Amino acid sequence: MNHPASAPPRPDPAAIRRALAGRLDADARAWLDTALAEAAEGAGAGPLPAWERRFAEAGRRAGAAHADTARVLLLHAAGADAGTLTRLYREGSGAERRAVLDALTLVVPGHEAVPLVEDALRANDTGIVAAAVGPYAARHLDAHAWRHAVLKCLFTGVPLTAVAGLAERAAGDGELDRMLADFAEERAAAGRAVPADLTAARALTGAAPTGRPTTQPAGGGAKEN
């Protein structure tokens, strides 16, 4: 019940690269090919390897819509370790932090990057929070931390579709259902809208209904940050 082993399988970097290449123009594809080759070869090793410069310029060279994916592929090609990922995350822009979080499931096999996910879940940037609850979190966060990650999404308005492995990890989780019911009750008592995602999340747990409020009042409401 609610075990990280039920997380979705790791994505295929080759498939990601093919899909990205199909969306880039010729100049951007050439840039990506060069950048990935540099990353794989460790070109420019030193104070700042060439691939890290490519990582920083991805938004300009691949376009904002594709920069996250390009950066993920760079991290994978470079075989970035937890120390490098932590440094890039700490020093990076919001977009660069997002890419580091997205890349975790491809480049970190163990639990060593969990502190990065925990840090991201303390952020108010919804893009960072959404990236933090990806497949790596589904696989490696313990039950307590994962439940609070789900609540964080509801607090900040991040759709629960961003939570990788939600159905698998929520199944049979009575404690998650209790936390969701408490959250709904607190919102209703304060006259605030209950997030629409909450009802579906409670249903995934398979817990018996408590009679507490679980639906969003008519008219909706603003998300809470």
Side-chain angles (χ1 to χ4, degrees):
M1 178 181 70
N2 191 39
H3 193 277
S6 63
R10 290 182 176 86
D12 176 10
I16 295 171
R17 181 174 180 175
R18 287 193 299 271
L20 176 59
R23 299 185 183 103
L24 299 177
D25 62 26
D27 288 343
R29 283 197 302 273
W31 172 85
L32 180 66
D33 289 343
T34 299
L36 292 177
E38 290 173 344
E41 295 166 4
L48 186 64
W51 75 265
E52 289 197 31
R53 293 194 293 273
R54 303 290 192 181
F55 184 85
E57 71 180 12
R60 178 167 57 86
R61 302 301 297 270
H66 306 302
D68 284 13
T69 304
R71 289 183 172 120
V72 167
L73 290 171
L74 279 168
L75 292 170
H76 177 263
D81 59 18
T84 299
L85 293 168
T86 298
R87 175 171 53 78
L88 292 173
Y89 176 87
R90 300 292 182 194
E91 298 175 357
S93 65
E96 290 166 2
R97 290 184 171 201
R98 227 176 24 240
V100 168
L101 294 164
D102 286 340
L104 293 180
T105 191
L106 286 178
V107 299
V108 183
H111 289 71
E112 54 267 39
V114 166
L116 287 184
V117 174
E118 293 173 339
D119 182 85
L121 288 170
R122 292 191 287 270
N124 291 320
D125 183 325
T126 55
I128 296 293
V129 173
V133 293
Y136 185 85
R139 187 171 291 109
H140 294 293
L141 283 185
D142 65 27
H144 176 79
W146 184 81
R147 291 174 188 132
H148 281 277
V150 173
L151 266 292
K152 176 72 174 191
C153 289
L154 292 170
F155 290 148
T156 57
V158 172
L160 292 189
T161 52
V163 181
L166 176 64
E168 294 81 4
R169 289 205 64 171
D173 192 341
E175 177 61 14
L176 176 62
D177 184 73
R178 183 195 65 76
M179 293 170 69
L180 293 171
D182 286 348
F183 173 67
E185 190 171 69
E186 290 167 6
R187 296 279 295 189
R192 292 174 175 267
V194 176
D197 273 358
L198 191 146
T199 301
R202 290 195 68 193
L204 291 174
T205 69
T210 63
R212 293 174 175 180
T214 58
T215 56
Q216 182 169 333
K223 66 185 180 185
E224 180 178 289
N225 290 314

